[in-house]
Amino acid sequence: DNTWDIPTIGKRLKEKPYTYGELILPHDAGHDRLATGISYAAQFEQMGFDTRVIPVTPDLMNDINITRQFVTMTHFDAKKCARLVECLRSYHREWDDVSKVFKPTPKHNWASHGADSYRTGAIAHVQGYLKPVVKKKKSGIGRKRGYDSPYDY
């Protein structure tokens, strides 16, 4: 929900049964906000989180291709990640009716927020900021495969 403020998001994160390393944040999370005079990253840090702001990269389409590859290395929990998977599957380029071609950038809509957050994680991985989590197999139970690439372009 993109209507939550940072204190609400931080509170909800702390309520979850997870141990966090760094919160990986997009490039604009390091910018001071007009309303508060402080960046999102600084607000999370004031709440006790470690943060890392991923720098902006120069080539969106290259980042999207990196993200496509990252999907194949990701296990998506069907219940906990249902909304993210829906965003990734719905992320697409916008059609230009006048020129009769696809625009060079993705359509900005409800799906782009989730897809962009996942892309930030993929770029963080390529830049060496994420450490893979390997779960040991339980006896007799194989690891479930993640979804195939949900991108439609």
Side-chain angles (χ1 to χ4, degrees):
D1 188 336
N2 63 359
T3 61
W4 293 342
D5 59 10
I6 298 302
T8 301
I9 294 169
K11 181 177 182 279
R12 291 191 52 127
L13 288 173
K14 287 183 175 193
E15 290 170 352
K16 303 225 179 250
Y18 305 121
T19 300
Y20 298 100
E22 291 179 315
L23 296 184
I24 302 296
L25 303 171
H27 68 93
D28 55 353
H31 303 165
D32 288 347
R33 302 292 163 186
L34 288 175
T36 62
I38 188 169
S39 70
Y40 291 158
Q43 290 179 62
F44 278 121
E45 289 165 2
Q46 287 176 349
M47 298 173 66
F49 292 99
D50 292 327
T51 65
R52 180 175 303 268
V53 176
I54 302 304
V56 68
T57 54
D59 187 345
L60 176 63
M61 292 312 295
N62 183 59
D63 291 356
I64 289 172
N65 286 327
I66 288 169
T67 304
R68 287 177 176 147
Q69 294 170 1
F70 191 63
V71 167
T72 66
M73 298 184 293
T74 305
H75 171 77
F76 295 94
D77 181 287
K79 291 180 183 173
K80 294 178 182 177
C81 299
R83 177 68 174 182
L84 172 61
V85 170
E86 184 181 1
C87 289
L88 293 172
R89 286 187 170 149
S90 298
Y91 192 61
H92 63 279
R93 288 187 287 181
E94 190 168 3
W95 179 255
D96 183 336
D97 284 326
V98 175
S99 301
K100 305 295 183 205
V101 295
F102 283 106
K103 293 182 179 179
T105 57
K107 181 172 180 64
H108 186 73
N109 63 9
W110 66 271
S112 62
H113 296 287
D116 287 347
S117 71
Y118 185 79
R119 179 170 46 91
T120 298
I123 299 307
H125 171 72
V126 167
Q127 293 177 351
Y129 299 128
L130 297 184
K131 296 179 180 102
V133 175
V134 179
K135 293 184 179 180
K136 294 180 182 177
K137 289 183 182 180
K138 294 181 181 177
S139 177
I141 300 173
R143 181 179 166 170
K144 293 180 182 178
R145 277 281 293 151
Y147 290 100
D148 289 333
S149 177
Y151 292 97
D152 65 348
Y153 71 93

